[in-house]
Amino acid sequence: MNPSHQVMEQGTSQQNLKRGCCATVLTLAYQSLGVVYGDLSTSPLYVYKTTFSGKLSLKEDDEEIFGVLSFIFWTFTIIALFKYVFIVMSADDNGEGGTFALYSLLCRNARLSILPNQQPTDEKLSTYATQDSADTWQSSLLKLFFEKHPRFQRGLLIFVLLGTCMAIGDGVITPAISVLSAVSGVKVKISHLHDNYVVVISCIILVGLFSIQHHGTHRVAFLFAPVVAAWLLCISGIGIYNIYHWNPKIYLALSPFYMLRFIRATGVEGWLSLGGVVLSITGVETMFADLGHFSALSIKIAFTCLVYPCLILAYMGEAAFLSKHHDDIQRSFYKAIPEGVFWPVFIVATMAAIVGSQAVISATFSIISQCCALNCFPWVKIVHTSSRIYGQIYIPEINWILMCLCLSVTIGLRDTNRMGHAYGLAVTTVMFVTTCLMTLVIVIVWKQGIIKAIACLVVFGSIELLYISACICKVHEGGWIPLVLSFTFMCIMYTWNYGTMKKHQFDVENKVSLNRILSMGPSLGMVRVPGIGLMYTNLASGFPAMFGHFVTNLPAFHQVLVFVCVKSVPVPYVGEDERLIVSRVGPKEFAMFRCIVRYGYKDIQQENYNFENRLVSTIVQFVETEEEDNNNTESTYEISTNVEQEFQSSKNPLKNESMQILNAKESGVTYMLGHSYAKAKKSSSIVKKIAIDVVFAFLSKNCREPDVVLNIAHSSLLEVGMVYYV
């Protein structure tokens, strides 16, 4: 072929590849509108209304309106655009975002993880990769500080849980304030409609929204992006109309000079009103949290090219309308809509509020699932709502709890202004937690200088603390709701984590020694019956105390015994080819193995495949590999992706031990779980006794049992009760 033709073909293929990549990015950017920006885009429904809900009044010179708009513009620009789009979204954990992603990065790079059963082999995971660059003296100093002071490691976990609990509170307040704000717009046209009817309609919509969660969102998700896109175009178009029609000079408010004039003129009341201004950036944390569903580039393009300009135009247009209609402040958004398009915009607003609520509910399910993986929340039933889209889950218990809390907030407060005060405190707290974690990431993970980290903390942290201070002063007007919710969830999470860690500590201190097992001989001092016994344990090494209990009280045991340890590692996902690690325990004639099953914090531990077949295939492959290579009892083997298919298609004759394992499986597989009860020691303090004997015992009794979490059939289950004195 002519060289010039080859060059032309290569150039054409590269152009096609670039076009394909651009098309993919733009498609993801469009799809991200419905998932990522539903909450953020509905903020104009209640920002001005909440900001001017206090004693702050509008004067003839429009000083307050220009000042509030200036605050909205610069807050939106500095926090949403500069902080999240340009900085925070670069701190992804293998493409995942959110509070746990930042915490996971710190755990791996500074060894801050308090998860039990961490092993050197975990660092070989493909998703465990850390920064290759050498530590700076600042990063080394911080790592050494955390290493020498374990209490600060636990303090960091509590700080992360605080942000998580506030995010859960966000999941309660967002549906209530979004739906109620959208529905209340109907009173602009039907003024005689009583508030009770607005509340009832909102509650009906909320009940319907939570009732369809078990169906999943994949059936209607294709509608989300068009709804939000239509909503953004509507409010930006109305904004342009209002600017042109009512006050073309409203653009002057974009000058930061008006912020200073606003604070100087309004004083304390202006400072308190900032609790409403911060509602303009509710939902920015979702941009980072939903990073795993889309690419960072697609989310950035959607924000900078559509979301950001549309929302700024909407806020400017509403401010222009307010400058000429001071009396309409409590219904300014719907009053600013031109008469001819009111009802279409009202319908789109209601749909956008539902979409935004759906995104927050789904995010709450994801947060709870991650907390369960990190031993920070009681076991719950997690249901996959889509067989094609990974990560779409439904948690029945959390769904109905959220619905009850949402209805309680809607019926109890009945006022979007008071909801806004609660909403602002939850949002600003989560953002401040992210800022503090980012400060550590800049030093420990990115290996940047301390000056850059301090600059990030001072610039963004000071703004967020300003808004937090304004929101805290509204505690008596609704701000107490996120505080109560976060305190309740924090107590649940910390108590569960504390009790779980104490149980693991008991297992470590009371594990059976290998010498004792070896002294029993290959039969373990009892009859070995046909079959495979899978003994689930919290230990990645050694023999659990439960095993000694079995040996002491049971006259017979299975021919093949496998100790299964299900553990979490500080990575978002563990690939299927790295999930299982099998090793032999003791001499070959004992027929005992250990299988470690590893999950990331975003993995779902209720597997859809046949775990029994996969495990047995892995053990057989391990045995055959061991015999081929060497007879080292410490050798380990990580299952390959297609090991089960390879094994089933193999025509080679099986070795004796492999045949014994397969025959044992044909005889049946029994799952052995310890049904343990934790009790505080008599010498424990009153606080510890209440935490363990009352709170932890209540949570253990009412959460899902391990057999449900692990999806084990009752016909194959054997439980043994034990009491742990912690």
Side-chain angles (χ1 to χ4, degrees), residues 242-491:
N242 286 327
I243 293 171
Y244 176 79
H245 190 70
W246 297 113
N247 193 345
K249 293 185 177 181
I250 196 68
Y251 70 89
L252 296 174
L254 302 185
S255 169
F257 176 69
Y258 283 94
M259 289 193 294
L260 300 177
R261 292 180 59 178
F262 173 77
I263 293 296
R264 186 182 304 168
T266 58
V268 175
E269 289 302 323
W271 165 60
L272 293 177
S273 69
L274 296 181
V277 172
V278 78
L279 297 181
S280 62
I281 53 174
T282 57
V284 292
E285 188 72 26
T286 309
M287 284 195 300
F288 183 45
D290 287 332
L291 191 59
H293 298 286
F294 307 93
S295 66
L297 180 59
S298 64
I299 293 178
K300 291 179 180 180
I301 289 175
F303 182 81
T304 54
C305 296
L306 184 63
V307 178
Y308 179 80
C310 286
L311 288 177
I312 294 299
L313 287 172
Y315 288 121
M316 290 177 65
E318 192 171 348
F321 175 82
L322 277 173
S323 66
K324 305 300 180 183
H325 303 81
H326 291 182
D327 295 335
D328 293 329
I329 182 62
Q330 285 303 304
R331 293 179 185 170
S332 59
F333 178 82
Y334 283 107
K335 285 283 189 178
I337 299 174
E339 185 74 22
V341 296
F342 176 85
W343 287 112
V345 173
F346 172 77
I347 294 173
V348 175
T350 304
M351 294 176 65
I354 294 173
V355 170
S357 302
Q358 174 61 58
V360 174
I361 294 169
S362 298
T364 305
F365 291 157
S366 180
I367 290 173
I368 295 296
S369 175
Q370 294 172 31
C371 289
C372 291
L374 295 175
N375 293 328
C376 293
F377 201 84
W379 296 313
V380 291
K381 183 178 180 180
I382 300 175
V383 180
H384 293 269
T385 58
S386 175
S387 58
R388 294 177 299 174
I389 305 175
Y390 186 83
Q392 288 199 358
I393 59 175
Y394 165 69
I395 305 177
E397 300 95 321
I398 302 302
N399 182 67
W400 302 122
I401 290 174
L402 282 179
M403 188 190 76
C404 292
L405 292 174
C406 245
L407 293 176
S408 299
V409 169
T410 305
I411 297 172
L413 296 183
R414 308 165 64 89
D415 182 9
T416 55
N417 292 332
R418 297 176 66 185
M419 291 182 190
H421 300 150
Y423 199 9
L425 184 57
V427 169
T428 50
T429 304
V430 177
M431 290 190 296
F432 182 69
V433 169
T434 299
T435 298
C436 294
L437 292 178
M438 272 303 305
T439 304
L440 295 176
V441 167
I442 290 173
V443 177
I444 295 176
V445 181
W446 290 352
K447 309 293 193 301
Q448 299 295 314
I450 195 72
I451 301 300
K452 294 181 180 179
I454 292 177
C456 173
L457 181 63
V458 171
V459 172
F460 301 124
S462 59
I463 296 174
E464 290 156 359
L465 286 176
L466 173 66
Y467 285 121
I468 288 175
S469 64
C471 293
I472 286 179
C473 293
K474 299 285 187 177
V475 167
H476 62 288
E477 297 180 23
W480 58 270
I481 294 176
L483 293 178
V484 172
L485 288 175
S486 62
F487 178 77
T488 303
F489 279 103
M490 178 74 79
C491 289

Side-chain angles (χ1 to χ4, degrees), residues 11-308:
T12 303
S13 63
Q14 290 178 356
Q15 289 178 359
N16 291 335
L17 181 61
K18 289 181 179 179
R19 289 173 184 171
C21 292
C22 291
T24 302
V25 171
L26 292 177
T27 301
L28 288 174
Y30 171 71
Q31 293 174 346
S32 70
L33 293 175
V35 177
V36 177
Y37 296 110
D39 184 14
L40 182 63
S41 64
T42 54
S43 297
L45 287 169
Y46 42 77
V47 169
Y48 283 106
K49 181 177 183 293
T50 307
T51 302
F52 290 98
S53 62
K55 297 180 180 179
L56 187 66
S57 58
L58 300 179
K59 299 178 182 177
E60 292 299 326
D61 57 2
D62 295 327
E63 194 81 29
E64 294 79 9
I65 294 175
F66 277 60
V68 168
L69 176 58
S70 184
F71 263 105
I72 290 174
F73 173 76
W74 286 106
T75 301
F76 204 76
T77 301
I78 294 174
I79 299 298
L81 187 62
F82 292 162
K83 174 188 169 182
Y84 279 91
V85 173
F86 292 157
I87 299 178
V88 175
M89 290 185 68
S90 300
D92 65 288
D93 182 14
N94 293 282
E96 295 295 329
T99 305
F100 281 112
L102 296 177
Y103 181 63
S104 175
L105 284 174
L106 293 171
C107 286
R108 297 204 304 274
N109 286 271
R111 301 185 184 279
L112 300 178
S113 177
I114 61 171
L115 288 171
N117 298 317
Q118 299 304 296
Q119 298 172 299
T121 53
D122 298 336
E123 299 179 11
K124 298 179 182 178
L125 289 167
S126 57
T127 52
Y128 201 97
T130 56
Q131 296 287 336
D132 296 329
S133 56
D135 284 337
T136 62
W137 68 268
Q138 297 102 323
S139 62
S140 299
L141 194 63
L142 266 178
K143 290 180 181 180
L144 185 62
F145 174 78
F146 280 110
E147 184 179 341
K148 287 187 174 181
H149 301 85
R151 66 178 63 180
F152 284 96
Q153 296 184 23
R154 183 159 288 276
L156 181 63
L157 174 64
I158 294 175
F159 190 62
V160 170
L161 291 181
L162 172 63
T164 303
C165 293
M166 284 293 185
I168 295 174
D170 186 7
V172 172
I173 302 170
T174 297
I177 190 173
S178 298
V179 173
L180 186 59
S181 296
V183 174
S184 61
V186 75
K187 295 190 66 176
V188 172
K189 293 298 180 183
I190 310 177
S191 56
H192 62 276
L193 186 67
H194 197 277
D195 289 340
N196 289 343
Y197 292 104
V198 175
V199 172
V200 170
I201 295 172
S202 301
C203 289
I204 291 174
I205 293 175
L206 289 172
V207 171
L209 178 63
F210 283 101
S211 298
I212 63 173
Q213 291 300 311
H214 67 281
H215 293 296
T217 60
H218 59 284
R219 292 187 178 92
V220 293
F222 68 94
L223 292 174
F224 288 179
V227 167
V228 176
W231 167 249
L232 289 170
L233 294 176
C234 281
I235 60 177
S236 61
I238 293 171
I240 294 172
Y241 169 81
N242 286 327
I243 293 171
Y244 176 79
H245 190 70
W246 297 113
N247 193 345
K249 293 185 177 181
I250 196 68
Y251 70 89
L252 296 174
L254 302 185
S255 169
F257 176 69
Y258 283 94
M259 289 193 294
L260 300 177
R261 292 180 59 178
F262 173 77
I263 293 296
R264 186 182 304 168
T266 58
V268 175
E269 289 302 323
W271 165 60
L272 293 177
S273 69
L274 296 181
V277 172
V278 78
L279 297 181
S280 62
I281 53 174
T282 57
V284 292
E285 188 72 26
T286 309
M287 284 195 300
F288 183 45
D290 287 332
L291 191 59
H293 298 286
F294 307 93
S295 66
L297 180 59
S298 64
I299 293 178
K300 291 179 180 180
I301 289 175
F303 182 81
T304 54
C305 296
L306 184 63
V307 178
Y308 179 80

